[in-house]
Amino acid sequence: MKRWLTYSVPVALGIAVLAFWEWAVTHWQVPRFVLPAPSAIAQSFVDDRAQLAAATWTTFRIVIEAFVLALVTGVALAILFAQSRIVELALYPYAVILQVTPIIAIAPLIVIWVGYEHIDRALLILAWIVAFFPILANTTLGLRSADRNLIDLFRLYGASRWQILWKLQLPGALPYLLGAMKISGGLALIGAVVAEFAAGTGTATGLGWTITEAGNRLHIETMFAALAILSVLGVAIFFLLSALEWALLRHWHESAVSRQE
Amino acid sequence: MTSLLSLHGVSKTFDSGTQAIAALDLEVRTGEFLSLVGPSGCGKSTALRIIAGLIAPTMGNVAWPSGRPEIGFVFQEPTLMPWRNALDNARLPLELKGIARADAEARSRQALARVGLGEFGHAYPRELSGGMKMRVSIARAIAAHPKLLLMDEPFAALDELTRQSLNDDLLKLAREDGITVIFVTHSVYESAYLSDRVVVMTPRPGRVTADIAIAQPADRSVAYRLTPQFTDAAGRISAALGDAMSRAA
């Protein structure tokens, strides 16, 4: 009963809102370049399908690359931090600076550095910068949260640093990492789109560029179509990572247990 | 009985400046069940960790006349890895020692059976009760066949019935395997029931104030707790503990 409601209630609300929107736009004769009807947006999906598909693929690829890069570098640096306090003291402030400086302000600089002919790389770097920090911060915290007594037990049995890391600290940090991945997945998408806005038009042809271009030409229905795709992408990333979290933690972690019982 | 280990003038002062134990002398004999009793903060846990080699004493030393044996450690909390099932938790010491997986699994399965959890190898810690988790923790400690078992208030968080049943199982395991046990506890009755010898310590910094030998019957049970012999032992420990407290005050 409850599970059924979880899906049916939001879907019903969505359909009701779309129906009202369609009716309202016609009834009050809202101009198409202010708010297009849902049916016009649907038409745009058909008419602009080639452009939208190419833009989606470009954005999707950059998001995935940036996310994987953030995952690998974030975890690697977190492991380094957990092994050496000196490395952490030296690098952590700079990681924070990179994080707190608004990405939109760094973007023009990165674009100049990598050159307009390699705008893809600039987008990748910018998306990576925003996705990287949650992974680093949470994994570092997770690695440091290992039970002191378990560490003592490992030492008692002559475990190496590597064994403590691999068998104790990393599994213990997994819930922290998976939580961070859900945040970073969304941030990578935001980073990729924001970077495209900042880079301006040119060789970037992702969904951010599609929105800018369509806006310039008052193709508001195409803007909505691109926005809808971005939302679906964001939701899909979130659900995929939630499913991964569930699959990896369901046997043992409290967060998964409460959902099970 | 031969001497297994002795502490000579062992002191420990932490970086914070707290002196946990001062000039502690203690001899532990092979095969005995020794309890360390004292108020909180008397450095009992610190003494255990120094014996285990997990922390170094500030002064003094630990001597092992016939070499350092295999040591097992049981903490106040079960201290299990939640992502591993009972069997894989019990297997940890063998795994870290590089024993082949098949052999290690057979031995840890046997250890689980000996603590009465033969059927629960696949259960994850969250599926087990507090007492069962403590049993897994004990299975892990005995899986590597230790000759010395260090226990830091292992049953303090359990209810009385579970505690009594674990007390009996522990005595049986220690006797069967010829394990020397050093058992830290707050409980006068627990120490009177389990120990061949009870050492009472003063509050911070910890020192030995009383060393009480108890002539235990080979077979202890619930009925034993009602004998004058048992109450006499408990009375002596209690008096020594009261004395230790008043000295601190």
Side-chain angles (χ1 to χ4, degrees):
Chain A
M1 172 71 179
K2 259 193 176 153
R3 200 172 173 76
W4 180 75
L5 282 175
T6 313
Y7 297 105
S8 62
V9 170
V11 167
L13 178 68
I15 291 172
V17 168
L18 283 177
F20 173 76
W21 178 355
E22 185 80 41
W23 172 81
V25 167
T26 329
H27 185 254
W28 285 303
Q29 295 178 321
V30 180
R32 215 185 152 106
F33 54 83
V34 174
L35 182 67
S39 57
I41 296 167
Q43 189 60 43
S44 160
F45 270 110
V46 178
D47 297 343
D48 304 327
R49 61 185 178 278
Q51 187 204 340
L52 283 172
T56 303
W57 172 241
T58 303
T59 299
F60 179 72
R61 210 187 59 220
I62 287 168
V63 169
I64 296 299
E65 286 173 2
F67 178 71
V68 170
L69 200 63
L71 187 61
V72 171
T73 52
V75 170
L77 201 56
I79 289 173
L80 205 60
F81 282 5
Q83 298 296 309
S84 159
R85 196 86 206 180
I86 283 291
V87 174
E88 182 178 9
L89 284 174
L91 292 183
Y92 201 75
Y94 298 101
V96 173
I97 289 170
L98 203 61
Q99 162 70 14
V100 297
T101 310
I103 193 68
I104 195 98
I106 312 175
L109 197 59
I110 303 285
V111 170
I112 290 169
W113 282 347
V114 300
Y116 277 94
E117 64 274 23
H118 297 305
I119 208 81
D120 276 23
R121 284 184 211 167
L123 301 186
L124 179 62
I125 291 169
L126 290 163
W128 168 75
I129 288 174
V130 289
F132 162 76
F133 192 77
I135 305 246
L136 171 68
N138 274 12
T139 311
T140 305
L141 179 66
L143 292 173
R144 287 202 188 290
S145 301
D147 188 318
R148 304 306 303 172
N149 285 337
L150 271 172
I151 292 179
D152 278 348
L153 200 70
F154 271 70
R155 291 215 180 106
L156 180 68
Y157 292 116
S160 64
R161 252 179 164 196
W162 169 251
Q163 283 177 313
I164 291 177
L165 174 70
W166 190 249
K167 292 178 193 287
L168 176 60
Q169 290 179 294
L170 278 174
L174 195 61
Y176 295 81
L177 172 62
L178 288 164
M181 281 166 71
K182 284 200 286 192
I183 298 168
S184 285
L187 284 178
L189 182 64
I190 293 171
V193 172
V194 165
E196 255 187 286
F197 283 145
T201 55
T203 53
T205 53
L207 288 168
W209 173 81
T210 306
I211 289 172
T212 314
E213 273 296 290
N216 289 343
R217 288 190 271 139
L218 287 183
H219 285 182
I220 309 298
E221 58 274 14
T222 315
M223 290 178 83
F224 269 99
L227 269 179
I229 294 172
L230 279 176
S231 301
V232 170
L233 266 186
V235 170
I237 289 169
F238 182 83
F239 268 102
L240 271 177
L241 292 171
S242 297
L244 180 70
E245 182 178 53
W246 161 250
L248 291 176
L249 301 185
R250 72 196 160 100
H251 281 309
W252 63 273
H253 201 255
E254 293 301 331
S255 65
V257 176
S258 53
R259 271 186 284 172
Q260 210 168 31
E261 280 158 8
Chain B
M1 280 199 285
T2 56
S3 170
L4 177 71
L5 72 103
S6 43
L7 304 183
H8 298 292
V10 167
S11 301
K12 180 68 190 180
T13 307
F14 288 105
D15 292 342
S16 59
T18 310
Q19 191 176 27
I21 42 181
L24 182 66
D25 290 306
L26 180 68
E27 191 186 27
V28 181
R29 291 159 215 142
T30 304
E32 75 175 332
F33 198 117
L34 171 70
S35 284
L36 294 181
V37 180
S40 326
C42 73
K44 304 172 300 236
S45 302
T46 308
L48 274 197
R49 273 158 208 271
I50 288 173
I51 293 169
L54 292 169
I55 51 176
T58 318
M59 276 194 294
N61 68 303
V62 185
W64 305 90
S66 38
R68 192 173 179 275
E70 177 70 38
I71 296 176
F73 206 115
V74 176
F75 301 91
Q76 181 172 1
E77 303 295 324
T79 320
L80 303 175
M81 292 183 282
W83 55 87
R84 287 187 172 209
N85 63 28
L87 185 66
D88 289 341
N89 264 295
R91 193 166 55 87
L92 180 78
L94 304 167
E95 183 182 332
L96 292 175
K97 288 174 169 301
I99 287 165
R101 184 160 180 147
D103 189 18
E105 272 196 5
R107 280 167 67 178
S108 37
R109 191 165 287 131
Q110 191 196 0
L112 277 183
R114 292 186 70 199
V115 296
L117 290 181
E119 306 295 310
F120 291 89
H122 293 290
Y124 284 82
R126 65 166 184 85
E127 299 167 319
L128 301 172
S129 69
M132 289 162 102
K133 278 189 267 206
M134 190 43 80
R135 285 176 187 277
V136 176
S137 189
I138 292 171
R140 176 177 61 193
I142 63 168
H145 299 321
K147 284 285 132 200
L148 172 63
L149 187 54
L150 305 174
M151 306 183 87
D152 191 358
E153 299 186 38
F155 309 141
L158 302 175
D159 64 85
E160 192 58 27
L161 276 177
T162 310
R163 182 187 258 219
Q164 285 183 9
S165 119
L166 275 161
N167 280 344
D168 289 333
D169 290 355
L170 174 63
L171 277 178
K172 185 162 165 284
L173 287 170
R175 195 179 307 135
E176 281 172 3
D177 291 4
I179 303 173
T180 308
V181 183
I182 307 178
F183 191 91
V184 165
T185 181
H186 273 127
S187 163
V188 168
Y189 292 102
E190 193 170 50
S191 67
Y193 186 72
L194 292 171
S195 322
D196 301 311
R197 191 155 70 100
V198 176
V199 165
V200 180
M201 290 172 72
T202 57
R204 191 169 287 153
R207 279 195 190 83
V208 175
T209 60
D211 192 331
I212 301 162
I214 302 172
Q216 297 282 15
D219 193 27
R220 272 158 273 181
S221 64
V222 180
Y224 170 63
R225 291 173 197 271
L226 303 172
T227 62
Q229 208 179 347
F230 175 77
T231 44
D232 170 60
R236 279 189 290 153
I237 300 163
S238 200
L241 195 58
D243 188 38
M245 299 290 280
S246 67
R247 261 190 235 189

